[in-house]
Amino acid sequence: MLRVERRETAADGVVLLELVDPDGRALPAWDPGAHIDLVLGPYVRQYSLCGDPADRARWRIAILRDADGRGGSAFAHDRLAAGDVVAVSGPRNHFRLDPSPRYLFVAGGIGITPIVPMVAAATAAGADWELHYGGRSRASMAFSHRLAADYGDRVRVHPQDETGLLDLDRILGGSRSGTLVYCCGPEPLLQAVEQRCLAGELRVERFSAQPRDEGTAFEVVLRRSGLTLTVPPGRSILDVVEAAGVPVLSSCREGTCGTCETAVLDGTVDHRDTLLTADEQAANDTMFVCVSRAASSPLILDL
């Protein structure tokens, strides 16, 4: 449990929360790209840490009010106040900043949050980098003034109402040998960046799972539990396993947080998460049972 030490407006529609241990203890260490799970009433949501990893006294997160969301962001904006105590788990990191001499950061809207500590880390490492940050308007773009003040022309701010959409052909055009591209933002931006990048050079973080078909039925064998279950179209492995009375830790149920990661003992996985790299998927030794399915049946899991 952590206490909301401070709450402030970071931009139009964005609230910044500072979380501390109620007893003054140091918080767990984290690296740029990490996120935490925050319990907001009946909701559990994932938010990227956007403060200083060296500051073990507090965690900072920024939450965008999502008019089309399921209630978590509205709860944070309307009901969470300074002094409130909230349940938190993590941090976890599936968006790590890998070592590189050069980085290109592309952020859209609230996708700037994991990028903020990344550019600080890249600067401290002496790497060459630039950031292109798009948003609806300057007023809606959290941290834009601070980033521009701290890093000058390394930061390019692209308010849509002034300059239009990010010109990705220009930003991602030309040679990028030795450059890692990090991108976080809404799904259309991620898909557009993916279309313009080579395999291995791009790292992305998604807020929600990519849309997929409902799949076909398959069998899953739970080795430790001694159960064989049928997973029908439209239901997840997680749903079926829980209905059979086998507990599995889970949170987002969208393949974005990593909580339900499960070891695969045999079979081929139809990976539908947004966390594993292509190489990790090809290794076929782990999966996220909230969204991923079987490409061969049966699928044998360490559950």
Side-chain angles (χ1 to χ4, degrees):
M1 302 292 288
L2 299 183
R3 186 180 70 246
V4 180
E5 181 74 3
R6 189 161 62 94
R7 171 194 166 109
E8 64 183 51
T9 299
D12 287 351
V14 180
V15 63
L16 181 68
L17 302 179
E18 190 171 284
L19 307 174
V20 300
D21 185 274
D23 298 320
R25 291 171 297 196
L27 298 175
W30 60 281
D31 297 316
H35 70 266
I36 58 174
D37 295 338
L38 191 65
V39 180
L40 300 168
Y43 313 102
V44 180
R45 296 292 182 264
Q46 291 72 46
Y47 297 106
S48 297
L49 293 168
C50 57
D52 179 1
D55 184 356
R56 300 283 300 279
R58 60 191 52 80
W59 285 343
R60 290 161 62 89
I61 58 173
I63 301 176
L64 170 70
R65 180 189 285 275
D66 185 356
D68 298 320
R70 293 169 294 169
S73 67
F75 186 100
H77 277 255
D78 298 337
R79 300 176 60 181
L80 201 59
D84 287 347
V85 176
V86 292
V88 178
S89 63
R92 288 189 294 274
N93 199 340
H94 300 282
F95 193 44
R96 295 187 182 280
L97 186 68
D98 295 328
S100 177
R102 288 179 297 279
Y103 299 97
L104 175 58
F105 299 105
V106 181
I110 200 63
I112 192 63
T113 50
I115 303 298
V116 170
M118 286 186 175
V119 298
T123 301
D128 182 22
W129 62 269
E130 66 180 61
L131 163 63
H132 291 268
Y133 178 16
R136 297 187 311 276
S137 65
R138 288 183 187 274
S140 72
M141 299 172 69
F143 312 118
S144 58
H145 295 299
R146 192 189 95 194
L147 287 166
D150 289 348
Y151 302 113
D153 60 8
R154 285 185 172 190
V155 176
R156 318 289 173 82
V157 177
H158 305 265
Q160 186 176 341
D161 61 350
E162 298 178 23
T163 62
L165 295 173
L166 287 168
D167 186 352
L168 295 178
D169 288 331
R170 179 182 61 81
I171 293 169
L172 297 168
S175 174
R176 295 190 300 277
S177 177
T179 301
L180 289 182
V181 180
Y182 278 79
C183 181
C184 186
E187 185 62 27
L189 172 64
L190 299 181
Q191 291 185 7
V193 171
E194 287 174 331
Q195 292 169 3
R196 292 165 171 80
C197 287
L198 299 174
E201 72 176 356
L202 176 63
R203 312 285 190 271
V204 302
E205 183 166 61
R206 285 181 156 87
F207 301 134
S208 61
Q210 301 179 73
R212 300 274 189 152
D213 62 75
E214 293 191 340
T216 58
F218 60 92
E219 286 192 341
V220 59
V221 177
L222 311 186
R223 175 67 57 80
R224 285 189 282 119
S225 302
L227 296 175
T228 298
L229 306 172
T230 298
V231 181
R235 291 194 71 194
S236 69
I237 297 174
L238 178 60
D239 289 339
V240 172
V241 168
E242 287 181 332
V246 178
V248 179
L249 288 176
S250 65
S251 178
C252 72
R253 307 183 86 91
E254 291 186 334
T256 61
C257 75
T259 306
C260 68
E261 186 169 7
T262 301
V264 177
L265 304 179
D266 198 14
T268 305
V269 180
D270 173 10
H271 291 284
R272 299 183 174 208
D273 64 274
T274 63
L275 300 169
L276 298 177
T277 65
D279 288 342
E280 289 169 338
Q281 291 182 355
N284 210 57
D285 57 5
T286 191
M287 71 181 299
F288 298 98
V289 293
C290 65
V291 291
S292 294
R293 302 182 68 80
S296 66
S297 184
L299 191 63
I300 302 177
L301 303 178
D302 186 24
L303 287 173

